[in-house]
Amino acid sequence: LIFWHYYLVLYLIAPKTAHLMIHYFEEEAVKSYTDYLVEIKAGRIEDVPAPQIAIDYYDLLPEAKLSDMIRYVRRDEQHHADLNLTYSQA
């Protein structure tokens, strides 16, 4: 709730800065999902089947794994980061 109010004021005063801030948040999410995939590949986290909601949302194959889902989520986060960077420069 506090962040929402802060972001609203920031967006009203400096929308480009607000978009740039979200770009940085999204970039951190991309890094986190990449680290998550490294942990799965290393065998420290089990690559369990993806949840049905993710299979439906991302139109994954029925046998999709957690790592497949993370790749799609990471791709979305990268798209959001790129889009917010574009808005921050417009």
Side-chain angles (χ1 to χ4, degrees):
L1 187 59
I2 293 170
F3 175 79
W4 187 88
H5 285 92
Y6 167 78
Y7 185 76
L8 175 63
V9 170
L10 178 62
Y11 193 84
L12 292 173
I13 295 170
K16 290 182 179 185
T17 301
H19 280 293
L20 187 59
M21 181 181 74
I22 297 302
H23 161 76
Y24 289 129
F25 287 168
E26 299 288 356
E27 283 291 320
E28 284 302 313
V30 169
K31 291 176 189 174
S32 295
Y33 285 118
T34 300
D35 291 345
Y36 199 0
L37 287 169
V38 167
E39 293 296 308
I40 291 171
K41 187 173 182 177
R44 291 185 285 271
I45 297 175
E46 186 180 355
D47 198 9
V48 297
Q52 189 61 48
I53 193 168
I55 291 171
D56 295 341
Y57 183 81
Y58 289 110
D59 198 27
L60 301 173
L61 297 173
E63 61 274 4
K65 297 289 196 176
L66 177 62
S67 58
D68 300 317
M69 181 196 74
I70 293 169
R71 283 186 197 89
Y72 275 80
V73 172
R74 182 179 63 176
R75 185 187 69 186
D76 275 356
E77 296 293 340
Q78 187 63 63
H79 173 71
H80 298 154
D82 295 343
L83 192 59
N84 275 283
L85 182 60
T86 300
Y87 289 156
S88 75
Q89 297 169 344

